[in-house]
Amino acid sequence: MTEEHLHVRKGVAASHDGMIAPPRKTFRKKTAEPPNLTAIAEKVKQGSMRELAKAITFIESNAGDHYLYGQKLLQELLPSTGKAIRIGITGVPGAGKSTFIESFGTMLCDAGHRVAVLAIDPSSSISGGSILGDKTRMEKLAKHSNAFIRPSPSGGTLGGVHRKTRETMLLCEAAGFDVILIETVGVGQSEFIVRSMVDFFMLLALTGAGDELQGMKKGIMELADAIVVNKADGVNKQLAEKTKNEFNQILHFLQPATKGWISKAYTCSALKNEGMDSIWSVIGEFRETVEKSGVLNERRRRQTKEWLHTLIMEQLKNNFYRHPYVKDQISQLEQAAMDGDITPSQATESLFREVYGDK
Amino acid sequence: MTEEHLHVRKGVAASHDGMIAPPRKTFRKKTAEPPNLTAIAEKVKQGSMRELAKAITFIESNAGDHYLYGQKLLQELLPSTGKAIRIGITGVPGAGKSTFIESFGTMLCDAGHRVAVLAIDPSSSISGGSILGDKTRMEKLAKHSNAFIRPSPSGGTLGGVHRKTRETMLLCEAAGFDVILIETVGVGQSEFIVRSMVDFFMLLALTGAGDELQGMKKGIMELADAIVVNKADGVNKQLAEKTKNEFNQILHFLQPATKGWISKAYTCSALKNEGMDSIWSVIGEFRETVEKSGVLNERRRRQTKEWLHTLIMEQLKNNFYRHPYVKDQISQLEQAAMDGDITPSQATESLFREVYGDK
């Protein structure tokens, strides 16, 4: 058992949340012929939604062979990726993310864009199902022939959700979607994860910057390429303008999220479909700026490199913390360290000696 | 060789920067008798500077047996730690950190406090020597019988520097120092590291908040329990007041660094010894607040727990990235991933298969 966990022998498909899953010959019954991956890839490139959904299912699978199909497909499709603009959207609950995406996405689809909506919702790991990306929240957009909505992958670790969303984004690009919207709630590290895979990151806010900010996570504002004050309609309109100005004042003091780009605040009303076109213009301007300066290419390359190292660390962490000895001892050692009975160095040493050392 | 690196067999004292070093019987020549650690610990507790310095040398050593002496000493001294107030100090170059510590520390020493000054300077890993904590920068304080100044540990990884500083802090507490000042320059993640080991974190700033902020690292202000605008003297005095007010405005919008404590900006002149007593009062008020509310105890316990997991991750990372196959392949795989020739998942998989899997 120790050996199995430690050296990750002969495939570790069972428990690693699809992070790394070498094929395991005896893992599944031979009930089905292996799929023709080249044919699927070809159809994805031609824009087949059916085959795209199939490919995503493979990517999202934790089973060894399906996982491997997904990786092979992705490998074949890699040259066809990277052409979309990748937009991250976050905001406190109630900021109107769904309504915004419904309104913004529909406008883009009507203009001939192909829009894929993905989501990262860490809470779905607990509930087992995702409220985000749910088609019932974006009824009009969901019906649009140019739109594709995929809920957050559910179950498994945040690392798994991270990988699946990132790889799904690439599949969508290969299928010809030219706008990717990745939505997230503000749970855990989800905004930082979305920021690490998008070109443009947008913070959706409500009126009343002061109070609003109090509820914002540390450092979030500094990730944003734009802050959009939503619900700027009716009696709220004036307050939204005031909030926008307050945000601009604060943004002035912060480091820019993107080199060569000045993050600003804007207002819109997703409900009334107002301000959507200006936001699209801002994103267009952003894209032009960062493409010309090389910042976009640099960012994407850095994101890919960081992602490789994130995967490595996730895998190391999973292998270690899932080792039976570690699972058995860790709480006790944490407690002893917190109580001042043992130094954390000694606790670490004792774990590594048992897990990796001779006995 | 692979085995050695992989399974961390029989001690890996040679290259791990003192992170984890089980004793290696044949590691050092038997030139000296093992030291009487209980006697040293006793003398440290009695306040012997000579024995404290010896204990720190053990803690800072990367050699297996010395490292182990350090850990044993620390273990014996653990019950005598935790009584000091731990203060972190950072600031942009030129903010006057040395002058501040000289002035602030001397005031405290004169008032009967025993003050230990430590430093984290990641750049010392490169230069091999540290400019921080250098006694020549704090001449008056260095000569004070109540002060102890230790430069940043040099050489090795940031993780090593982190461990050494943290454990040195505990030794100093056991030796009866009741005020710990940990200074850092703004290199890499050093402020975050210092924040993770202190009770109170102070940001030293210069006049002209706007420009000042532009040079500040993202998220730094949200770590601060106080921002102190230094050099509030002469013609600069009025500007310092203005800057203080600007900082207060911004702080108002940020999440508090410490639960139940409102971070504010203050002015001082380290050069003229002005405002030092008020800052000490603020820290006293802070301490009273967080001790009463339990936030201090909670923070320290959380810091210890997080530190345990940081050590584990550092060790996992070191073992992996120092594996010869990984060292050999990683740049190539990074490049292939960034060029879009391979998915990061596949790159990770291939590394893990080679390092941990069967061949």
Side-chain angles (χ1 to χ4, degrees):
Chain A
M1 190 63 172
T2 305
E3 283 281 291
E4 170 81 21
H5 273 76
L6 227 198
H7 305 148
V8 198
R9 291 204 193 280
K10 297 189 193 83
V12 282
S15 66
H16 54 40
D17 195 23
M19 294 291 292
I20 310 291
R24 205 169 176 174
K25 276 163 199 141
T26 57
F27 187 78
R28 292 173 64 92
K29 285 181 202 160
K30 285 217 171 179
T31 46
E33 282 291 298
N36 184 339
L37 297 173
T38 308
I40 297 176
E42 212 43 56
K43 281 179 191 153
V44 168
K45 277 195 271 185
Q46 285 158 20
S48 158
M49 287 303 98
R50 197 170 152 269
E51 303 304 307
L52 174 62
K54 196 185 282 176
I56 294 174
T57 306
F58 287 148
I59 283 290
E60 289 186 349
S61 171
N62 293 336
D65 48 358
H66 277 194
Y67 167 84
L68 199 79
Y69 298 158
Q71 288 302 316
K72 280 193 177 155
L73 269 171
L74 190 56
Q75 182 70 37
E76 273 199 59
L77 292 167
L78 264 187
S80 309
T81 64
K83 284 169 207 125
I85 177 88
R86 303 164 180 174
I87 303 167
I89 299 171
T90 190
V92 293
K97 288 187 291 295
S98 311
T99 319
F100 179 84
I101 291 171
E102 167 95 333
S103 169
F104 190 65
T106 304
M107 175 193 76
L108 294 176
C109 286
D110 283 346
H113 290 286
R114 296 189 62 213
V115 179
V117 180
L118 312 177
I120 287 194
D121 177 9
S123 62
S124 71
S125 298
I126 299 150
S127 66
S130 172
I131 49 147
L132 274 175
D134 191 336
K135 291 178 192 187
T136 58
R137 293 183 306 127
M138 304 167 192
E139 253 181 89
K140 210 171 148 196
L141 186 60
K143 283 178 198 148
H144 207 295
S145 60
N146 280 345
F148 176 76
I149 300 180
R150 184 88 185 180
S152 176
S154 63
T157 65
L158 187 54
V161 170
H162 186 173
R163 177 188 69 74
K164 290 164 189 177
T165 306
R166 177 179 267 272
E167 294 180 350
T168 296
M169 172 179 83
L170 295 173
L171 291 177
C172 290
E173 288 185 345
F177 288 95
D178 64 323
V179 179
I180 312 282
L181 301 179
I182 307 183
E183 176 190 16
T184 189
V185 281
V187 176
Q189 296 294 300
S190 61
E191 293 105 329
F192 297 92
I193 288 177
V194 170
R195 169 76 272 186
S196 79
M197 60 176 84
V198 299
D199 306 321
F200 186 91
F201 192 64
M202 184 194 298
L203 188 57
L204 222 57
L206 287 164
T207 46
D211 304 339
E212 181 73 10
L213 274 167
Q214 297 298 332
M216 271 185 196
K217 206 175 293 174
K218 289 185 188 183
I220 285 299
M221 264 212 296
E222 283 161 309
L223 300 180
D225 293 306
I227 296 178
V228 178
V229 183
N230 193 14
K231 306 194 180 174
D233 41 43
V235 291
N236 225 5
K237 209 161 182 173
Q238 216 177 333
L239 189 56
E241 281 300 315
K242 190 171 165 282
T243 305
K244 184 188 82 172
N245 293 336
E246 286 175 354
F247 273 122
N248 274 328
Q249 271 177 39
I250 301 162
L251 284 171
H252 176 71
F253 285 115
L254 300 178
Q255 293 261 31
T258 302
K259 206 175 137 192
W261 175 256
I262 298 165
S263 301
K264 286 185 195 151
Y266 306 88
T267 59
C268 80
S269 166
L271 197 70
K272 306 271 183 194
N273 291 314
E274 286 167 10
M276 294 295 131
D277 44 353
S278 340
I279 292 165
W280 183 240
S281 298
V282 169
I283 295 172
E285 202 190 311
F286 173 88
R287 190 177 190 173
E288 207 189 310
T289 307
V290 294
E291 272 180 354
K292 206 182 278 173
S293 66
V295 166
L296 181 66
N297 185 43
E298 197 188 290
R299 164 170 281 167
R300 286 186 172 183
R301 287 177 67 85
R302 199 185 54 241
Q303 285 176 339
T304 303
K305 185 174 163 180
E306 284 170 2
W307 171 234
L308 168 59
H309 292 284
T310 302
L311 272 180
I312 290 172
M313 290 310 288
E314 282 279 333
Q315 185 69 14
L316 286 170
K317 195 169 146 185
N318 285 347
N319 290 353
F320 184 81
Y321 284 104
R322 283 171 183 163
H323 185 281
Y325 183 80
V326 176
K327 271 165 91 171
D328 191 53
Q329 295 291 315
I330 191 74
S331 309
Q332 224 170 303
L333 287 169
E334 275 176 356
Q335 205 57 43
M338 288 192 290
D339 291 345
D341 295 333
I342 183 174
T343 69
S345 291
Q346 283 184 306
T348 307
E349 193 186 319
S350 83
L351 286 172
F352 274 77
R353 197 158 35 208
E354 187 69 30
V355 172
Y356 296 102
D358 313 67
K359 267 159 273 177
Chain B
M1 190 63 174
T2 306
E3 283 281 291
E4 170 82 21
H5 273 77
L6 227 197
H7 305 147
V8 198
R9 291 204 191 281
K10 298 189 192 83
V12 283
S15 66
H16 56 38
D17 196 23
M19 293 293 292
I20 311 292
R24 204 169 179 175
K25 275 164 198 138
T26 57
F27 187 78
R28 292 173 63 90
K29 286 181 202 158
K30 286 216 170 178
T31 47
E33 283 291 297
N36 183 338
L37 297 172
T38 308
I40 296 177
E42 212 41 59
K43 281 179 191 154
V44 168
K45 277 196 270 184
Q46 285 158 18
S48 159
M49 287 303 98
R50 198 171 150 265
E51 303 303 308
L52 174 62
K54 196 186 281 175
I56 294 175
T57 306
F58 287 148
I59 284 290
E60 290 187 349
S61 171
N62 293 335
D65 48 358
H66 278 194
Y67 167 85
L68 199 79
Y69 299 157
Q71 289 302 315
K72 280 193 177 156
L73 270 171
L74 189 56
Q75 182 71 36
E76 274 199 57
L77 292 167
L78 264 187
S80 309
T81 65
K83 285 169 207 126
I85 176 90
R86 303 164 181 173
I87 303 167
I89 299 171
T90 191
V92 293
K97 287 188 292 295
S98 311
T99 319
F100 179 85
I101 292 171
E102 168 94 334
S103 170
F104 190 65
T106 304
M107 175 194 77
L108 294 175
C109 286
D110 283 347
H113 290 287
R114 294 190 64 213
V115 179
V117 180
L118 311 177
I120 286 193
D121 177 9
S123 60
S124 70
S125 298
I126 300 151
S127 67
S130 171
I131 50 146
L132 275 175
D134 191 335
K135 292 179 189 184
T136 59
R137 292 183 306 127
M138 305 167 190
E139 255 181 87
K140 210 172 149 195
L141 186 61
K143 284 178 198 148
H144 207 295
S145 60
N146 280 345
F148 176 75
I149 299 179
R150 184 88 184 180
S152 174
S154 64
T157 65
L158 187 55
V161 170
H162 186 172
R163 177 189 69 75
K164 291 164 188 177
T165 307
R166 178 179 265 275
E167 294 179 350
T168 296
M169 172 180 83
L170 296 173
L171 292 177
C172 290
E173 287 185 346
F177 289 94
D178 64 323
V179 179
I180 312 281
L181 301 179
I182 307 184
E183 176 191 14
T184 189
V185 282
V187 176
Q189 297 293 300
S190 60
E191 293 105 330
F192 297 91
I193 289 176
V194 171
R195 169 75 274 187
S196 79
M197 61 176 84
V198 299
D199 306 322
F200 186 90
F201 192 65
M202 184 194 299
L203 188 56
L204 221 58
L206 287 164
T207 47
D211 304 336
E212 181 72 12
L213 274 167
Q214 297 298 332
M216 271 184 195
K217 206 176 294 174
K218 290 185 188 183
I220 285 299
M221 264 211 296
E222 281 160 312
L223 301 179
D225 293 307
I227 296 179
V228 178
V229 183
N230 193 14
K231 306 193 181 175
D233 41 42
V235 291
N236 225 5
K237 209 159 183 173
Q238 217 178 335
L239 189 56
E241 280 300 317
K242 191 171 164 281
T243 304
K244 183 189 82 174
N245 293 336
E246 286 175 355
F247 272 121
N248 273 329
Q249 271 178 37
I250 300 163
L251 284 170
H252 175 70
F253 285 114
L254 300 178
Q255 292 261 32
T258 302
K259 206 176 136 189
W261 175 256
I262 297 165
S263 301
K264 285 186 196 152
Y266 306 87
T267 60
C268 80
S269 166
L271 197 70
K272 306 270 183 197
N273 290 315
E274 286 167 11
M276 295 295 128
D277 44 353
S278 340
I279 292 165
W280 182 240
S281 299
V282 169
I283 295 172
E285 202 191 312
F286 172 89
R287 189 176 190 172
E288 207 189 312
T289 307
V290 294
E291 272 180 352
K292 206 181 279 173
S293 66
V295 166
L296 181 66
N297 184 42
E298 197 187 291
R299 163 171 282 167
R300 285 186 172 185
R301 286 176 68 87
R302 198 184 56 240
Q303 285 176 340
T304 303
K305 185 174 163 181
E306 284 170 3
W307 171 234
L308 168 59
H309 293 283
T310 302
L311 272 180
I312 289 172
M313 290 309 288
E314 282 279 331
Q315 186 69 15
L316 287 171
K317 195 169 145 185
N318 285 347
N319 290 353
F320 183 80
Y321 284 103
R322 282 172 184 164
H323 186 281
Y325 183 80
V326 176
K327 270 165 92 171
D328 191 52
Q329 296 291 317
I330 191 75
S331 310
Q332 225 170 302
L333 287 169
E334 275 176 356
Q335 205 57 43
M338 287 192 289
D339 292 345
D341 294 334
I342 183 174
T343 70
S345 291
Q346 284 183 304
T348 307
E349 193 186 317
S350 83
L351 287 171
F352 275 76
R353 197 159 37 207
E354 187 68 31
V355 172
Y356 295 101
D358 311 69
K359 267 156 273 178

